Amino acid sequence: MSADRTPVTVVPLDVIVDPENEEAVEAELRAFQAGAGTSVVVVHLRARVVTPRALHLLLRARERAADAGGILCVAAPGPAARRVFHLTGLSRVLRVAATVAGAVRRNAGAGCGHPGSASPRSRAIPSPRRPGPPRPGSSLSRLARPDRTRRP
């Protein structure tokens, strides 16, 4: 193993975090973080549902990791789970990737391979420009679907 490689601890999170099991899951995650002995911990989120309790739990785990001089990353294979992180803005706070390898790459400063990441190989695609303001006579009615519920 080369000197530039940081050891990584992967912690699987298989359960849906709810009020009934939140304390137990957090205690287990805290024990993994304390016993990891590494500066990088990747939480492998294998549950398809990401609850607000899980988001808060991961934020607290991130704070604990930062206080100890470490880094917490999240690997969320499910696209719905990653979408929750993106919609809540937590993908900017937590290092979220689709795979464990992607989370490790993201920790190294590279992209994680899914939309929203800044990969060194990605190319910026310019946004299309509108030709100008809409014409006075134009309206959005042309975009509306025809009403098919009425019968002649």
Side-chain angles (χ1 to χ4, degrees):
M1 184 150 99
S2 65
D4 63 340
R5 297 227 173 200
T6 305
V8 175
T9 300
V10 179
V11 179
L13 183 59
D14 299 323
V15 297
I16 296 174
V17 181
D18 59 16
E20 295 174 357
N21 66 359
E22 181 180 12
E23 289 180 21
V25 172
E26 186 161 14
E28 189 175 341
L29 182 57
R30 186 180 290 128
F32 267 115
Q33 282 182 294
T38 59
S39 61
V40 178
V41 174
V42 177
V43 176
H44 189 193
L45 187 65
R46 294 192 263 189
R48 289 183 164 200
V49 178
V50 180
T51 63
R53 298 279 183 165
L55 296 174
H56 286 279
L57 181 135
L58 290 170
L59 284 172
R60 289 190 300 267
R62 179 193 170 272
E63 289 175 12
R64 280 193 304 274
D67 290 344
I71 296 169
L72 182 97
C73 303
V74 177
R82 286 192 310 277
R83 181 130 172 96
V84 168
F85 285 103
H86 287 290
L87 289 174
T88 58
L90 292 179
S91 61
R92 287 181 247 139
V93 177
L94 298 167
R95 297 169 184 212
V96 180
T99 63
V100 172
V104 172
R105 280 194 308 273
R106 181 124 187 187
N107 174 53
C112 54
H114 62 84
S117 68
S119 174
R121 287 186 247 156
S122 68
R123 293 179 293 185
I125 300 172
S127 61
R129 295 189 62 181
R130 296 187 64 173
R135 286 178 263 139
S138 67
S139 70
L140 295 179
S141 63
R142 62 185 164 79
L143 300 176
R145 291 184 181 176
D147 187 10
R148 295 183 182 155
T149 58
R150 290 189 224 162
R151 293 182 182 226

